[in-house]
Amino acid sequence: MLFEEQTLKTALVEIEQDSPLYPKAWLDLPDRPERIYALGDTSLLKDKKFGIVGSRRTPSSALKTGESIAKTLSEYFTVVTGTADGGDTAAIEGALAGTGKILCLLAGGFSSYPRSQQFLLERAAERGLLLAVYPYETEVRAFSYEYRNKLLAALCEGILVLGAGEKSGALITAKYAKEQNKPVFALPYPPSSAAGVGCNGLIKRGGCLTETAQDVLEVFGITSTQKVKPTLAGDEAKVYEVLSQSVEAHVSELSTATGIPVFKLRAILSALEVKGCAASLGGNRYGVV
């Protein structure tokens, strides 16, 4: 396996400050890392980058939105995030569902990657890039996360926060992005949502209210005109075809038209939502995206 200790150590690429691969955005930082350690496609270090972060407690609906946004943005940027569950995972999954251009910045050395995320990080390393600014054996320390968040903000042309409580680490990343005059984006939340109070605060203070990838692309002057036909098969393809013909439909109507039981349809519709092919319109009605 890729993440076995000896295999991992051998596969790491060490990049010094004088290397053309060393991020130019870090060269002006007084506390820049002396060297970095990379696993995967190092050519992504030269690509334009956009950061997507979020709390571990980001609601599932926001995570689905984040995956969809990351998938689209991966067509135009390398998506940059951390390695945690929640918002980071949504960014990784979305980018992997798109072009695969994903860069995950670790908080410690490669020996300290979160074991619960091993399978996902191996997938990210196979198609994208994992990056550490500490030697292999370095453990994650209290200050490591804020330093990682500062470096992440510096790498990116903008930062999107999918979910953030009042004291979320995602807000630290947004703070550094704002200090560096980078645009900050945030998903909107109901006023009563504790999981989104940080996002609403960012929007109140001038952050860009973001519901779709187009909200981000417009800020950078990018017009998304290309419609990519989803790759679907089996029951997913059948449901998508019916939705495409009817524009929107009730779950019971879909069940009748496809012959798929309602209990099974709900799982299929959820999968289509994650893939950015369908959207819930409320009242058990769904439409194509």
Side-chain angles (χ1 to χ4, degrees):
M1 292 181 66
L2 178 60
F3 275 36
E4 289 181 352
E5 182 176 358
Q6 193 54 47
T7 302
L8 186 54
K9 282 184 175 181
T10 303
L12 292 180
V13 175
E14 188 172 323
I15 301 171
E16 303 282 350
Q17 289 184 23
D18 59 356
S19 168
L21 290 174
Y22 191 92
K24 292 182 180 179
W26 288 353
L27 289 175
D28 293 331
L29 298 177
D31 56 349
R32 61 185 177 273
E34 292 185 8
R35 59 186 58 82
I36 57 180
Y37 306 86
L39 179 67
D41 183 2
T42 55
S43 70
L44 296 180
L45 289 167
K46 297 182 177 181
D47 195 24
K48 290 184 177 181
K49 303 171 187 64
F50 185 86
I52 300 180
V53 296
S55 160
R56 289 179 173 84
R57 298 181 180 179
T58 300
S60 59
S61 58
L63 295 178
K64 289 181 180 179
T65 299
E67 286 185 21
S68 176
I69 291 174
K71 179 181 178 181
T72 301
L73 292 185
S74 73
E75 298 281 345
Y76 306 90
F77 302 92
T78 290
V79 175
V80 181
T81 191
T83 60
D85 193 12
D88 294 358
T89 295
I92 298 170
E93 292 281 14
L96 290 176
T99 64
K101 295 198 300 182
I102 180 71
L103 190 161
C104 299
L105 190 56
L106 282 67
F110 270 89
S111 66
S112 300
Y113 73 89
R115 297 305 191 268
S116 61
Q117 296 283 78
Q118 178 173 329
F119 177 69
L120 182 61
L121 294 178
E122 285 186 338
R123 288 172 56 207
E126 288 170 356
R127 298 186 61 195
L129 180 66
L130 304 187
L131 205 62
V133 300
Y134 297 108
Y136 181 87
E137 297 83 4
T138 308
E139 296 181 358
V140 178
R141 291 160 286 184
F143 63 84
S144 300
Y145 291 106
E146 180 163 353
Y147 183 54
R148 187 273 309 276
N149 294 347
K150 177 182 179 179
L151 294 176
L152 195 156
L155 270 182
C156 301
E157 299 197 14
I159 294 291
L160 168 63
V161 180
L162 301 180
E166 189 173 1
K167 297 182 180 181
S168 170
L171 297 180
I172 297 175
T173 307
K175 179 196 75 170
Y176 281 117
K178 190 172 183 180
E179 289 177 356
Q180 298 161 14
N181 296 316
K182 311 283 183 70
V184 174
F185 304 80
L187 299 191
Y189 280 77
S192 59
S193 173
V197 64
C199 286
N200 289 346
L202 290 173
I203 295 170
K204 289 177 184 177
R205 294 188 293 274
C208 303
L209 188 153
T210 305
E211 296 175 308
T212 67
Q214 191 59 42
D215 294 327
V216 175
L217 295 175
E218 286 177 357
V219 171
F220 294 99
I222 301 170
T223 302
S224 177
T225 57
Q226 182 181 11
K227 292 187 176 181
V228 181
K229 184 177 179 181
T231 303
L232 304 172
D235 288 342
E236 287 184 1
K238 187 184 297 184
V239 173
Y240 183 79
E241 182 179 357
V242 173
L243 273 179
S244 299
Q245 293 172 352
S246 57
V247 183
E248 67 174 79
H250 192 274
V251 170
S252 60
E253 296 171 336
L254 288 172
S255 179
T256 300
T258 61
I260 301 172
V262 170
F263 75 88
K264 187 177 180 181
L265 257 179
R266 296 191 186 281
I268 295 171
L269 288 165
S270 293
L272 289 174
E273 284 188 274
V274 170
K275 293 180 179 181
C277 301
S280 173
L281 305 177
N284 285 322
R285 302 190 70 81
Y286 288 82
V288 293
V289 176

